[in-house]
Amino acid sequence: MSVQFNHTIIASKDARESAEFFAELLDLEVGAPWGPFIPVVLDNGVTLDFATAPDGNTPLQHYAFLVSEDVFDAAYKKIADRRIEHWADPHRRHPGEYNTNDGGKGVYFLDPSGHAMEILTVPYGGWPKA
């Protein structure tokens, strides 16, 4: 078997709130709780296991997700309609915008626990040349 990413735990202020925010934004399903975890499975089988941090400490993490144009457009509409603060860049110099880096679209925003989330339609550097 090749090396594959399987899952990660995302420390949250409220696991259910964070899992539901993320799943609803990207039109994914929230799975049944498993121990302290609220799972959200991505289309490639990777699981994001949201867990409430016992001490409330949720150090800033960055999570970036490659999505289709349709998923981006639907998610961006939700971000804009709900007035979720967002930026075209990670340094937050271009609020209320998305970027068109590498010929795609990308946007940065915070989840309910303050994690820096990013959705983009083209990977950094563009698609590999065939």
Side-chain angles (χ1 to χ4, degrees):
M1 174 186 287
S2 63
V3 177
Q4 297 181 14
F5 189 68
N6 180 264
H7 72 277
T8 193
I9 297 169
I10 300 178
S12 307
K13 293 176 183 172
D14 179 308
R16 169 80 44 200
E17 177 186 30
S18 291
E20 289 177 355
F21 170 84
F22 182 80
E24 199 282 324
L25 187 68
L26 296 179
D27 199 27
L28 299 168
E29 297 290 323
V30 175
W34 184 76
F37 307 113
I38 307 293
V40 175
V41 181
L42 305 180
D43 293 337
N44 62 350
V46 172
T47 304
L48 305 178
D49 295 322
F50 292 86
T52 301
D55 60 2
N57 184 18
T58 57
L60 173 69
Q61 295 291 316
H62 173 70
Y63 299 95
F65 300 93
L66 188 60
V67 301
S68 68
E69 290 272 339
D70 290 345
V71 169
F72 182 94
D73 291 344
Y76 189 77
K77 182 174 180 349
K78 291 175 188 176
I79 289 168
D81 288 351
R82 295 176 190 166
R83 296 189 170 128
I84 295 171
E85 195 171 14
H86 61 281
W87 305 268
D89 64 305
H91 304 292
R92 302 180 187 176
R93 294 184 188 129
H94 301 280
E97 301 175 22
Y98 64 83
N99 67 61
T100 55
N101 297 342
D102 297 306
K105 298 175 187 173
V107 68
Y108 299 81
F109 57 96
L110 302 178
D111 83 343
S113 294
H115 294 303
M117 303 298 224
E118 175 185 4
I119 55 174
L120 65 161
T121 61
V122 174
Y124 289 120
W127 294 107
K129 305 286 187 242

